[in-house]
């Protein structure tokens, strides 16, 4: 199907991808159509093994080989100068290409069997919550794509870390499945540079003052990963978050809105007396579990009979960076509960 130019959704260890032959510009343009994705947003190219990097990128710096040896196959996407073989539609006419070697055996088997690198964004409708099961892909894209490979629920649950290594200092454009801590441990401090790895702050682009007509930088679309229902995100200490969620849940409930809550396991006893629909993503002490369940829980709470989702924030370490990034992009409002 890939060799015929068709679109095949497949599991990776992060989220499901919607794949097409990366060398077939027509097939890749159909990805944009199926997802309703603007063509200014470039797509990640997936390779079967690190040795295939030279098929899709050029002028590859030594740090790319170091990172690939450490993290591939895995949830790390590297931004590199693009090879001429990659059609411009894949990279949104840009000079760089995003490359990842996924760890999921079904993804690897698909790429190897196709005998070509596979361009694949997440297999959801553009800006909707990312898919972590074949059913999620079906719900968003049935009738618009040729095939879905069902490999069960994905294990990591949030997308890959996107790391730009075309500049002086490797820069995280999107936090993801490989933690910043792990990247720092692997990257040498270069002479004259401030940090081993720089991290772009979430939501720094597309503030209300920036030009809304200008396309945002790749990876920097702010409203993203969003449920259909409005979501509000609560930040602060655990106590502050719980108290504010209870109060606002009650007020909004009295206003006639039916509420659902995205909670950690530890919150549940505090909400025992509410009638709100509750989704538990996992323990505050187990951010791997929270990441794994995040998008599925968001989709469950995003039900036709729900008017408002109230979500708690998570700690800023490890996978917490990716979790916090996705919650911020999905939320319509961020409520800071700090006293
Ligand atoms: O885990 C993942 O990364 C999943 C699985 C399927 O591999 N893919 C994924 O793709 O999340 P997508 O298209 O949903 O997100 C890719 C991100 C986008 O934010 C895009 O703007 C950015 O990577 N990106 C792609 N090419 C880029 C480039 N050349 N420079 C900077 N950012 C790029
Ligand atoms: Mg996506």
């Amino acid at each position: 199907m890939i060799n015929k130019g068709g679109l095949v959704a497949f599991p990776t260890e992060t989220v499901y991808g919607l794949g097409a032959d990366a060398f077939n510009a027509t097939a890749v343009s159909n990805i944009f159509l199926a997802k309703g994705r603007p063509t200014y947003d470039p797509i990640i190219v997936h390779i079967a093994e690190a040795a295939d990097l030279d098929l899709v990128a050029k002028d590859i710096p030594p740090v790319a080989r170091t990172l690939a040896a450490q993290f591939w196959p895995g949830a790390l996407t590297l931004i590199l100068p693009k090879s001429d073989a990659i059609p411009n539609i894949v990279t949104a006419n840009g000079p760089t290409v995003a490359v990842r070697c996924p760890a999921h055996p079904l993804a690897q088997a698909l790429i190897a069997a196709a005998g070509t690198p596979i361009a694949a964004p997440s297999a959801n409708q553009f800006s909707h919550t990312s898919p972590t099961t074949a059913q999620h892909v079906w719900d968003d894209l049935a009738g618009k794509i040729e095939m879905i490979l069902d490999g069960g629920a994905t294990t990591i649950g949030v997308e890959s870390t996107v790391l730009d290594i075309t500049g002086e200092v490797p820069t995280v454009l999107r936090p993801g499945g490989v933690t910043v801590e792990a990247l720092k441990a692997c990257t040498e401090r270069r002479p004259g540079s401030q940090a081993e790895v720089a991290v772009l702050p979430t939501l720094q682009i597309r503030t209300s003052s920036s030009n809304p007509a200008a396309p945002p930088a790749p990876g920097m679309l702010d409203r993203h990963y969003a449920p259909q229902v409005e979501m509000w995100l609560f930040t602060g200490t655990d106590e502050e978050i719980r108290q504010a969620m209870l109060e606002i849940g009650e007020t909004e409930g009295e206003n006639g809105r039916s509420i659902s809550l995205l909670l950690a396991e530890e919150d549940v006893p505090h909400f025992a007396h509410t009638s709100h629909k509750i989704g538990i993503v996992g323990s505050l002490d187990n951010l791997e579990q929270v990441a794994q369940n995040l998008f599925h829980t968001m989709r469950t709470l995003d039900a036709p009979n729900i008017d408002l989702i109230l979500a708690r924030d998570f700690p800023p370490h490890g996978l917490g960076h990716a979790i916090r990034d996705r919650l911020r992009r999905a939320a319509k409002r961020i409520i800071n509960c700090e006293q």
Side-chain angles (χ1 to χ4, degrees):
M1 192 59 76
I2 293 284
N3 293 149
K4 281 200 302 190
L7 303 185
V8 178
F10 61 98
T12 79
E13 70 279 27
T14 58
V15 301
Y16 274 69
L18 178 59
D21 180 349
F23 293 136
N24 181 336
T26 311
V28 174
S29 72
N30 287 332
I31 294 179
F32 288 94
L33 290 176
K35 279 186 58 110
R37 177 176 174 122
T39 49
Y40 60 67
D41 195 9
I43 295 183
I44 298 173
V45 175
H46 298 70
I47 54 179
E49 51 186 23
D52 293 342
L53 192 50
D54 303 84
L55 296 176
V56 299
K58 65 178 180 191
D59 305 333
I60 298 163
V63 67
R65 310 285 181 192
T66 311
L67 289 162
Q70 175 83 23
F71 296 106
W72 283 357
L76 179 66
T77 295
L78 298 176
I79 307 294
L80 289 160
K82 116 189 212 319
S83 108
D84 300 336
I86 294 291
N88 286 324
I89 182 134
V90 173
T91 63
N93 289 316
T96 62
V97 64
V99 191
R100 174 161 109 81
C101 176
H104 197 291
L106 209 39
Q108 290 185 346
L110 175 67
I111 303 165
T116 180
I118 292 184
S122 51
N124 50 295
Q125 276 295 320
F126 178 66
S127 83
H128 190 214
T129 312
S130 297
T132 56
T133 67
Q135 183 67 50
H136 296 163
V137 181
W138 180 270
D139 293 343
D140 273 27
L141 298 173
K144 298 179 172 170
I145 64 178
E146 273 69 39
M147 189 183 285
I148 304 174
L149 298 178
D150 187 349
T154 62
T155 50
I156 295 181
V158 291
E159 295 86 343
S160 62
T161 303
V162 178
L163 185 70
D164 186 347
I165 49 173
T166 60
E168 268 298 296
V169 177
T171 303
V172 174
L173 303 183
R174 175 179 74 180
V178 167
T179 64
V180 176
E181 292 90 332
L183 289 175
K184 284 188 171 161
C186 173
T187 323
E188 282 175 60
R189 184 182 287 274
R190 285 109 173 265
S193 67
Q194 290 297 305
E196 306 94 316
V197 178
V199 183
L200 280 193
T202 294
L203 303 188
Q204 70 165 12
I205 315 282
R206 274 280 164 122
T207 56
S208 49
S209 60
S210 70
N211 175 7
M220 291 294 125
L221 288 166
D222 58 3
R223 275 284 290 164
H224 225 97
Y225 312 105
Q228 248 104 64
V229 173
E230 187 167 325
M231 188 173 104
W232 296 353
L233 176 64
F234 291 71
T235 73
T237 66
D238 292 342
E239 290 68 34
E240 288 164 345
I241 287 174
R242 288 169 190 149
Q243 197 189 335
M245 283 177 97
L246 279 168
E247 280 169 13
I248 290 180
E250 191 170 334
T251 318
E252 293 300 322
E254 281 164 8
N255 289 342
R257 300 176 96 174
S258 68
I259 313 284
S260 66
L261 306 172
L262 187 150
L263 299 176
E265 236 163 69
E266 291 84 347
D267 300 321
V268 175
H270 302 268
F271 292 84
H273 61 285
T274 69
S275 56
H276 307 314
K277 178 174 177 172
I278 287 179
I280 305 163
V281 283
S283 166
L284 292 168
D285 293 330
N286 186 349
L287 295 178
E288 286 72 20
Q289 183 188 33
V290 172
Q292 193 175 37
N293 293 322
L294 182 68
F295 289 141
H296 179 75
T297 306
M298 273 169 60
R299 281 182 180 249
T300 309
L301 297 179
D302 187 15
N305 58 334
I306 298 293
D307 303 306
L308 178 64
I309 303 172
L310 307 182
R312 72 123 62 234
D313 205 4
F314 287 86
H317 57 80
L319 281 180
H321 295 295
I323 294 164
R324 290 161 63 89
D325 172 80
R326 304 306 185 272
L327 286 171
R328 276 158 180 71
R329 289 172 199 263
K332 194 84 180 275
R333 270 181 75 184
I334 299 177
I335 299 173
N336 185 347
C337 317
E338 271 162 303
Q339 298 298 311

